[in-house]
Amino acid sequence: MGSGTFKGGVHPYDGKELSKYKQVREILPKGDVIYSLSQHIGAPSKPVVGQGDYVKCGQVIAEADGFVSATVHASVSGKVSAIERRLNATGIKVLSIVIENDGQFTSFDFHETADVNTLSKEEIGKKIQEAGIIGLGGAGFPTHVKLTPKDPDKIKYVIANCAECEPYVTVDYRRMIENAEQLIAGMKIVLQLFDNAKGVFAIEDNKPDCIEKMQELLKNEDRIEVQILHTKYPQGAERQQIFAVTGLAIHSKQLPADVGCIVDNAETFFAIYNAVKLGRPLIERLVTVTGGGIADPSNFLIRIGTNFSELLEAAGGFIGQPEKLLFGGPMMGFAGTCTDVPTMKTTSMLLSLLTDEMSALTPTPCINCGRCVEVCPSGLVPSRLAKQAQRKQNADFEKWNGLECIECACCTYGCPAKQPLVSDIKLMKKRILTKKRQQAAREKKEGEAK
Ligand code: SF4
Ligand code: SF4
């Protein structure tokens, strides 16, 4: 086993006390619901409904376009009013299906499996794929793909990532407090796929109540245990978590399965339980609405596709005029300007901060203090990478392993000169990866033409 920690990382103010004790409240959408067809990594989903069609909750409205893609289901009943490009929380317009919500929530019948132990591996995989489950921690990688590694017998660890290291968010915390039994049932389902694996609930030590609860429920389970992790950001990042739990290191060109690991977020295990045991597709999830700029920080069970404005309203609205709005956390979230965009499968938080401390600071010249190197969990030299990015020195950037950056923002957070290191590095990564993709596509086309 690993040491429960990794090299580097930072300890930002976590703000979790604002919402962690707020029990989950279900809110049902009142207005139109919008489903982005690019909520996941991989090919966009293909619409299977047309304008004017009536749909029920749980009905497939877009199917996966290939293996690395995901099905999308309606989370309300009503009429399809449009299939067009709509703005999402990441600030881009993507093809989306709009449903005029009739407020009835007329649903398909979902069929429960009496005994999941009787299901074959293929049946479990099919149920997960059909339910449209993707990584709900934010990455959005289709779960059925992750759960079909080349050699399933080589999987030694199935890790439930319950670190929740991003400040403010309390979704996984509430899941462990309110649905621990279902999380364990979800883990048992995944373990049915991997005969040689053990299950690990990886939880940071700032959640002693969750650790105690899970340990108590798992005391007679010989295939599942709790691994206590040091509280440190980014403990929930996949590579850092694998190292903390197993002591094994991976780089950007490897998959967790290459070192015998499967890692999924807590909310994903809950979705797996829902799909395989209860027969319910992924149409809802937990979302935290919090921050100093929110009147009543809360945890909500929402229907995917609900407009963020409705979540904000349910949390009492803004206090005054907050300076910063984020979809996601302060370290890795997307800054936004308005809440009139739909939630997605990967949405975990709406954060509103009264003051935007980072934007108020003017960067000063680098003083070569080495702090960014100290905190980088990927062992990089962020100050140098940022300079290479500004100068568009692609080859040098790659030579200094810039593509290994996990975009955690620890360097920016730790920099006393307030250099926008992560923004420069992210931009450069995007530039290089886009070029590589275009090159690969060109070569493929040329190969096909020969
Ligand atoms: S260089 Fe990348 S991985 Fe390293 S601290 Fe900065 S954002 Fe994180
Ligand atoms: S932390 Fe900031 S000031 Fe220090 S070396 Fe890195 S970029 Fe320069």
Side-chain angles (χ1 to χ4, degrees):
M1 291 291 272
S3 57
T5 189
F6 59 91
K7 193 180 157 292
V10 293
H11 295 90
Y13 161 63
D14 80 1
K16 293 188 191 277
E17 75 284 355
L18 293 174
S19 58
K20 71 185 278 193
Y21 299 115
K22 302 284 184 68
Q23 208 168 352
V24 171
R25 278 191 283 148
E26 181 175 12
I27 52 168
L28 294 170
K30 297 179 205 145
D32 290 355
V33 178
I34 300 173
Y35 307 87
S36 156
L37 300 179
S38 303
Q39 306 190 32
H40 52 272
I41 289 176
S45 319
K46 263 190 324 198
V48 292
V49 289
Q51 202 173 350
D53 287 356
Y54 170 79
V55 298
K56 288 181 177 178
C57 296
Q59 181 173 335
V60 174
I61 53 171
E63 61 186 20
D65 190 8
F67 188 57
V68 187
S69 184
T71 305
V72 179
H73 302 78
S75 58
V76 295
S77 54
K79 217 164 60 179
V80 176
S81 60
I83 301 177
E84 60 190 22
R85 292 171 74 78
R86 289 288 185 105
L87 194 67
N88 72 14
T90 64
I92 53 170
K93 277 190 173 178
V94 292
L95 190 64
S96 306
I97 297 176
V98 184
I99 295 182
E100 200 181 299
N101 173 17
D102 67 8
Q104 300 300 308
F105 302 97
T106 309
S107 179
F108 263 51
D109 289 334
F110 302 123
H111 299 291
E112 194 171 330
T113 300
D115 181 5
V116 292
N117 293 310
T118 61
L119 296 173
S120 68
K121 291 182 170 69
E122 291 68 32
E123 285 169 326
I124 291 173
K126 195 163 172 258
K127 281 179 185 287
I128 291 171
Q129 184 170 12
E130 286 175 353
I133 301 174
I134 63 171
L136 300 179
F141 193 71
T143 302
H144 64 275
V145 182
K146 203 181 247 192
L147 296 181
T148 44
K150 259 188 255 150
D151 193 347
D153 287 343
K154 288 205 173 133
I155 299 301
K156 296 276 181 284
Y157 299 94
V158 173
I159 303 169
N161 182 352
C162 307
E164 199 160 58
C165 64
E166 179 77 53
Y168 290 94
V169 63
T170 52
V171 158
D172 294 348
Y173 176 82
R174 289 312 313 173
R175 269 294 177 222
M176 285 188 275
I177 294 295
E178 298 186 34
N179 304 105
E181 291 83 359
Q182 290 92 331
L183 289 180
I184 293 169
M187 171 64 85
K188 286 183 179 172
I189 290 167
V190 178
L191 286 176
Q192 276 180 243
L193 302 173
F194 303 107
D195 298 335
N196 301 321
K198 71 171 175 181
V200 180
F201 281 91
I203 311 173
E204 280 190 338
D205 57 13
N206 63 351
K207 303 174 190 68
D209 41 359
C210 298
I211 291 171
E212 201 182 315
K213 182 161 194 175
M214 298 303 278
Q215 281 176 331
E216 175 59 26
L217 290 170
L218 292 169
K219 66 179 183 219
N220 298 320
E221 298 287 345
D222 51 5
R223 272 188 87 188
I224 312 177
E225 60 187 69
V226 172
Q227 163 97 32
I228 303 171
L229 306 175
H230 295 202
T231 298
K232 181 166 66 165
Y233 177 87
Q235 186 68 262
E238 197 169 66
R239 287 181 226 162
Q240 282 58 40
Q241 178 135 115
I242 288 172
F243 185 79
V245 172
T246 69
L248 299 165
I250 57 166
H251 55 71
S252 66
K253 293 196 179 71
Q254 287 178 299
L255 294 170
D258 293 335
V259 291
C261 295
I262 298 285
V263 186
D264 263 315
N265 163 266
E267 190 70 357
T268 311
F269 281 90
F270 187 81
I272 290 171
Y273 165 80
N274 259 344
V276 179
K277 173 69 183 162
L278 305 182
R280 292 176 64 86
L282 180 60
I283 57 171
E284 50 191 16
R285 64 155 299 148
L286 296 192
V287 176
T288 300
V289 180
T290 187
I294 297 288
D296 180 19
S298 307
N299 297 294
F300 295 121
L301 174 66
I302 63 129
R303 296 288 168 115
I304 291 162
T306 304
N307 194 289
F308 271 104
S309 306
E310 296 196 30
L311 273 60
L312 178 64
E313 189 192 329
F318 290 132
I319 298 174
Q321 282 194 314
E323 288 181 2
K324 186 117 189 171
L325 182 69
L326 286 151
F327 299 107
M331 301 300 280
M332 292 190 78
F334 296 94
T337 48
C338 87
T339 54
D340 187 16
V341 285
T343 51
M344 297 192 284
K345 292 179 184 181
T346 49
T347 298
S348 59
M349 177 159 64
L350 176 67
L351 177 64
S352 165
L353 301 174
L354 278 176
T355 51
D356 182 2
E357 287 167 21
M358 281 310 281
S359 300
L361 297 167
T362 313
T364 53
C366 168
I367 53 169
N368 291 317
C369 66
R371 177 86 181 121
C372 55
V373 180
E374 239 170 74
V375 300
C376 177
S378 304
L380 305 175
V381 184
S383 51
R384 186 178 286 263
L385 291 171
K387 278 195 193 105
Q388 290 162 344
Q390 286 156 12
R391 294 174 188 150
K392 299 196 170 61
Q393 295 168 327
N394 294 27
D396 288 341
F397 185 87
E398 282 200 63
K399 197 168 117 200
W400 282 80
N401 294 319
L403 296 180
E404 294 302 310
C405 168
I406 57 165
E407 304 179 6
C408 65
C410 287
C411 48
T412 300
Y413 177 83
C415 175
K418 297 302 158 210
Q419 290 278 318
L421 302 168
V422 68
S423 316
D424 290 341
I425 296 170
K426 254 166 122 169
L427 205 66
M428 183 67 154
K429 270 184 70 185
K430 200 170 170 193
R431 216 180 284 143
I432 294 175
L433 292 172
T434 308
K435 248 188 180 164
K436 281 182 190 284
R437 263 197 302 274
Q438 286 167 343
Q439 173 74 13
R442 258 197 312 275
E443 282 170 10
K444 194 175 165 214
K445 217 171 167 186
E446 281 164 14
E448 283 165 0
K450 275 180 193 165

